[in-house]
Amino acid sequence: MANVDSALKDAMTIDGALGAAVVDAGSGMALGSLGSAQDLELAAAGTTDMFRAASRTLDALGLHGDRIEDTLTTLTHQYHLIRPLTRPGGSGLFLYLVLDRARANLAMARHQARRIEAELEV
């Protein structure tokens, strides 16, 4: 099992990774962050709003048996990927990745994020 620091270091090995954070969806605060992407603390707070909106939408649609695997925001030069943590102790937390769109392989990044999330113990 990986702790937050080792999970973030692992996330930064993903091709095209510019930044990574583990974020508390309740407060918008990053439990840890790593990388040279823009202000990750500010981005974590803003991304929390998007995560909450997606969760509220699932509830409003009555999709209680479904869960968000990940959400993606595609920008001109970056991908922003949110992966909720599902392990015990991870409820209400998510892994946030900022990827350089020109260098990242989105399918591989999602696969690696899934692996990191599965191994992360908070």
Side-chain angles (χ1 to χ4, degrees):
M1 292 295 121
N3 64 22
V4 171
D5 289 335
S6 63
L8 293 173
K9 288 177 186 170
D10 197 10
M12 291 304 295
T13 67
I14 296 172
D15 286 342
L18 299 173
V22 174
V23 182
D24 179 337
S27 67
M29 300 292 291
L31 302 180
S33 62
L34 190 62
S36 62
Q38 66 281 337
D39 184 344
L40 282 171
E41 301 293 324
L42 179 61
T47 302
T48 298
D49 292 336
M50 292 190 308
F51 178 74
R52 288 180 193 155
S55 296
R56 281 192 310 270
T57 301
L58 284 182
D59 288 342
L61 292 172
L63 299 175
H64 304 292
D66 252 336
R67 67 176 182 80
I68 298 170
E69 287 187 16
D70 57 45
T71 62
L72 174 68
T73 301
T74 304
L75 304 177
T76 307
H77 297 101
Q78 295 179 346
Y79 294 124
H80 291 241
L81 185 67
I82 301 170
R83 176 92 189 172
L85 304 187
T86 58
R87 293 186 46 78
S91 180
L93 303 176
F94 61 86
L95 177 64
Y96 171 54
L97 299 173
V98 179
L99 305 166
D100 179 337
R101 188 170 168 169
R103 296 185 304 129
N105 176 322
L106 186 54
M108 285 303 298
R110 289 183 69 223
H111 175 74
Q112 289 173 287
R114 184 179 317 117
R115 180 187 49 77
I116 292 166
E117 179 269 324
E119 294 174 357
L120 179 57
E121 191 167 293
V122 181

